[in-house]
Amino acid sequence: MIIEYHCPMPKIFYVQLTVGNNEFFGEGKTRQAARHNAAMKALQALQNEPIPEKSPQNGESGKEMDDDKDANKSEISLVFEIALKRNMPVSFEVIKESGPPHMKSFVTRVSVGEFSAEGEGNSKKLSKKRAATTVLQELKKLPPLPVVEKPKLFFKKRPKTIIKAGPEYGQGMNPISRLAQIQQAKKEKEPDYVLLSERGMPRRREFVMQVKVGNEVATGTGPNKKIAKKNAAEAMLLQLGYKASTSLQDQLDKVRI
């Protein structure tokens, strides 16, 4: 009888860390341990290195700064950005598709104004990216656009409209709206309405509404909440020293009708 023992090899993870122009390799039993190992090696090697100086914000390297910004953008985005700035039409078109289903090949053509290029890849996305990369080389040869300073816009402040709410202000208006406008004109808190009670038989209901303006309180009654609120607002207007919303002549005319 023969017994054989097999000891599985432990799994080791390897990680490559790039810091500037330096590369560091770490290993460990887990991904995290491998990353930690690579970071420790980088720290030990770079701890005595001088801190690089920050590049100047203004001055010589405007083009270099633009190149750094462009490095963070995709080739396709750059094509659209340049075309937009120069008012040039852009179009991408898949002009060829070949090969078996598992090994497809695509050719995409990009046109930017009078410039055009083609790119090939095993996916539409890759062929589009390669076409954009090729046409970018031509677009970057174009002369720089002239710098146009935007005119400074000056806005004249409109004077605040001050409404003088005299005793006759807003006559003829709905008392609720009139009271609200008067409070706004005086830059004071809007009227606060509260339903105090609801009484009477179902077909003969009477509602009592209270309105509060500052320290002043007034009430109004009516066969429904709307009329009760209106009458409360009118009572408050009279209490504050304003003339009736509907003049006596208007009331007499309504009675005659």
Side-chain angles (χ1 to χ4, degrees), residues 47-217:
Q47 61 183 352
N48 297 323
E49 292 286 330
I51 299 173
E53 295 182 2
K54 191 177 180 181
S55 58
Q57 294 292 327
N58 300 320
E60 55 186 10
S61 57
K63 189 174 185 303
E64 291 178 6
M65 290 175 69
D66 289 341
D67 291 342
D68 290 340
K69 289 180 182 178
D70 291 349
N72 297 324
K73 299 176 183 177
S74 71
E75 293 79 359
I76 298 169
S77 298
L78 288 171
V79 168
F80 278 105
E81 187 176 306
I82 294 172
L84 181 64
K85 289 179 180 177
R86 296 179 177 272
N87 198 23
M88 302 164 72
V90 181
S91 66
F92 285 89
E93 181 186 4
V94 178
I95 59 174
K96 188 178 178 182
E97 183 178 337
S98 58
H102 63 284
M103 291 182 66
K104 283 280 187 182
S105 177
F106 300 89
V107 178
T108 298
R109 177 185 293 148
V110 59
S111 298
V112 184
E114 60 184 14
F115 300 94
S116 64
E118 294 180 3
E120 186 175 358
N122 56 5
S123 68
K124 292 180 182 179
K125 185 177 180 180
L126 181 59
S127 65
K128 185 178 181 180
K129 180 181 177 181
R130 287 177 175 171
T133 303
T134 304
V135 82
L136 265 178
Q137 296 174 3
E138 298 299 322
L139 294 175
K140 288 184 176 180
K141 294 177 183 178
L142 292 171
L145 291 170
V147 178
V148 180
E149 292 186 4
K150 294 182 179 180
K152 294 182 179 179
L153 301 177
F154 297 94
F155 297 96
K156 190 175 180 181
K157 290 185 178 180
R158 294 179 61 184
K160 292 183 179 179
T161 305
I162 301 174
I163 301 172
K164 292 183 178 180
E168 297 180 355
Y169 174 79
Q171 272 192 306
M173 291 177 59
N174 182 300
I176 300 170
S177 302
R178 184 186 178 195
L179 182 58
Q181 284 194 17
I182 289 172
Q183 287 302 103
Q184 288 175 3
K186 290 160 64 177
K187 294 184 179 179
E188 294 181 3
K189 190 177 177 181
E190 291 187 1
D192 184 23
Y193 294 90
V194 178
L195 180 65
L196 293 181
S197 65
E198 182 181 341
R199 58 200 179 200
M201 302 296 290
R203 294 186 180 180
R204 285 184 153 185
R205 303 297 281 175
E206 185 180 52
F207 296 84
V208 181
M209 189 75 71
Q210 175 184 283
V211 59
K212 186 176 181 182
V213 174
N215 296 324
E216 300 289 334
V217 178

